[in-house]
Amino acid sequence: MKKLLLLLSLAAAPALAQPPAAPVPVPAPAPAPVAVDYAVPANWLCLPGRQDACGQPLPTTILNTGGYGPIEQVAPAPPPPADCFYVYPTVSRDAGLNSDMEAGMEELGATAVQFARFRTVCRTYAPLYRSATVSAIGAALAGQDPAPWFNLAYGDVLASWRHYLRHHNQGRPFVLIGHSQGSIHLIRLLASEIEGRPEAARMLSAMLIGYNVEVPEGAVTGGSFRTTPLCTRMGQTGCVVTYVSFRASVPPPAGALFGRAATPGRTIACTNPAALGSGANAPLDSYWFSQSSASMAVNVAWSREGPPPTPFLRTEGLVSGACVNRGPLGYLAVTVNADTNDARTDDIPGDVRVGGMPAPGWGIHLVDVNIAQGNLIRVVAAQSAAWARGHRRRR
């Protein structure tokens, strides 16, 4: 348990939101990178049947209005009806502008927090890849072209995807899951490697969280993707679930990194996993990493009863979310349903902080996945069930 807590406290949330203060020097030209061999199991953070980043125990306490309640454990689906392919966000603090291929605590922790819980509904696949690092953010902000770093990272994601298709998929339905940088790579993968190909018929959904996906205003198809629509109902397959989250009281300002479309006539897509196809405000099923973390930059008093008894907490209805789309503006507006008379917290973590202050253009990027993780898992379960029903009818 101590090892798990250390791992998660270092990487409980994406470090993308914490750019270095000083510009990063331009490195000397490097030799052409060697292709990663994804036949080597060590180049995967998660593969089915292993005790790896997706096999960590995730003891989770239910946090109700009355305080701490029962403790849940996570059990794999027997047998998993679908596969989930996950690409993690910018977490690496390796030296240089791309990470190495050694799985650090940052990659392991982000995968455990954001993805391991999906093992309740799918077989879990998560490649290690040479991601753009936290230092790369500072370099990009200083004016350097990020394309080479992201191209190298995407090349690894692409190679791992092709290896998965050839050696692991075996015609099974699958879900793509990404956050932040991970979503950037999966957006590119979906547009270039899945749309218009036979694999598209097996895609249950692409969960592209924490990065801008554009659609024409008032439409569910077009923009970032040619033919793949947004998910608008439970059980729909072959569609996209996407949102960027902001506190309802602090919407994306002018010049925000997330939540504002760059293309005239488009908006940022928002699919609330608790209310697909609706702009209604709906309670969210949230899973939180409960320990203090440098990446969160804030401590939350989760309950007046004292510190949490487990590394994870689950809350239902502590926060609610509603999709907002107005012109180019599109985001998931998150409201904390505070009640000073009950035992649980009246605030949540997740704000990106620069110089100790929240950066309004980033929203609550650090908890994009956590705030609706239970809802996302239910979406996958409903899609898997719909797929199974459809294929039984065809037999």
Side-chain angles (χ1 to χ4, degrees), residues 122-276:
C122 56
R123 298 194 308 183
T124 50
Y125 293 86
L128 184 65
Y129 71 106
R130 289 170 290 191
S131 62
T133 63
V134 176
S135 294
I137 302 169
L141 293 176
Q144 295 184 45
D145 179 9
W149 325 321
F150 276 83
N151 285 338
L152 175 62
Y154 175 72
D156 289 350
V157 172
L158 176 59
S160 67
W161 169 252
R162 289 176 173 172
H163 179 87
Y164 159 77
L165 282 182
R166 286 194 302 269
H167 300 284
H168 296 285
N169 178 260
Q170 299 176 329
R172 293 165 59 87
F174 62 86
V175 179
L176 304 178
I177 302 174
H179 180 245
S180 199
Q181 182 182 163
S183 291
I184 292 173
H185 300 313
L186 289 179
I187 289 168
R188 184 173 175 182
L189 184 82
L190 174 54
S192 62
E193 292 286 314
I194 298 175
E195 280 196 321
R197 299 192 180 196
E199 290 78 24
R202 301 200 305 277
M203 190 182 81
L204 298 182
S205 61
M207 296 188 164
L208 308 173
I209 312 302
Y211 196 74
N212 294 336
V213 172
E214 293 188 356
V215 290
E217 292 179 38
V220 297
T221 305
S224 296
F225 304 112
R226 299 183 303 277
T227 58
T228 308
L230 303 180
C231 296
T232 57
R233 56 180 173 80
M234 288 293 281
Q236 179 184 359
T237 60
C239 55
V240 169
V241 174
T242 182
Y243 58 85
V244 294
S245 55
F246 284 76
R247 294 183 187 268
S249 57
V250 189
L257 182 64
F258 304 116
R260 287 185 176 271
T263 308
R266 293 184 184 177
T267 188
I268 299 304
C270 180
T271 51
N272 183 351
L276 293 175

Side-chain angles (χ1 to χ4, degrees), residues 329-377:
L329 197 66
Y331 63 100
L332 183 68
V334 176
T335 301
V336 181
N337 299 310
D339 184 348
T340 57
N341 294 315
D342 68 25
R344 66 183 178 183
T345 179
D346 291 329
D347 198 7
I348 60 171
D351 298 283
V352 175
R353 292 174 180 266
V354 177
M357 299 298 294
W362 292 72
I364 48 175
H365 187 69
L366 299 180
V367 293
D368 282 325
V369 176
N370 303 82
I371 56 170
Q373 193 172 57
N375 307 101
L376 294 169
I377 289 170

Side-chain angles (χ1 to χ4, degrees), residues 44-76:
W44 292 84
L45 295 169
C46 297
L47 287 172
R50 297 194 319 189
Q51 287 300 310
D52 52 25
C54 290
Q56 292 286 341
L58 302 173
T60 304
T61 301
I62 307 298
L63 176 57
N64 299 306
T65 55
Y68 300 126
I71 295 176
E72 294 181 338
Q73 298 292 337
V74 176

